[in-house]
Amino acid sequence: MDGFAMDPLEIEIGELLRAADAGRPLLLLDVRNEDDFARWQIAGRCSIETENVPYFEFLEDPDRALRRVPTDRAVVAVCATGDSSAMVVDLLREAGVAARNLA
């Protein structure tokens, strides 16, 4: 995935939006609970595919949660504070998924 896994662990929102605007294949992995996800999502000038897999699913059944994450593009994980998404990024990288945490 373009060496994304070798990039720093975090990505700034501006860099994420520039990558999306450039047409780079990305998945925004929102790891907040379903209620928070329903209340607000990140929106840009162009559509960014978003998947909601709450972080607690990665704790309860990591293999099942990992199967829900596409591996054919770079993944950017997001949560309200960055802590849960950072934990998920660590799990994703251990599984060989190109992932970064949204700073």
Side-chain angles (χ1 to χ4, degrees):
M1 286 355 96
D2 311 326
F4 199 69
M6 300 307 291
D7 289 345
L9 289 175
E10 292 190 331
I11 184 171
E12 297 289 331
I13 189 70
E15 185 181 352
L16 171 65
L17 294 176
R18 284 189 298 277
D21 286 345
R24 186 169 179 186
L26 297 167
L27 173 74
L28 188 63
L29 178 63
D30 194 318
V31 300
R32 297 173 298 142
N33 66 51
E34 290 92 351
D35 292 338
D36 289 338
F37 178 72
R39 273 196 286 278
W40 67 266
Q41 290 126 39
I42 294 174
R45 292 177 292 273
C46 63
S47 177
I48 301 174
E49 181 182 350
T50 304
E51 180 74 34
N52 177 232
V53 182
Y55 77 95
F56 60 81
E57 291 188 23
F58 286 92
L59 297 174
E60 293 172 356
D61 191 347
D63 291 332
R64 181 174 170 262
L66 285 168
R67 284 193 301 272
R68 293 185 56 194
V69 179
T71 59
D72 61 343
R73 68 202 87 159
V75 174
V76 176
V78 62
C79 70
T81 64
D83 295 331
S84 297
S85 54
M87 183 266 315
V88 169
V89 165
D90 287 342
L91 290 172
L92 291 170
R93 284 181 169 230
E94 286 175 16
V97 177
R100 290 170 78 182
N101 189 30
L102 185 61

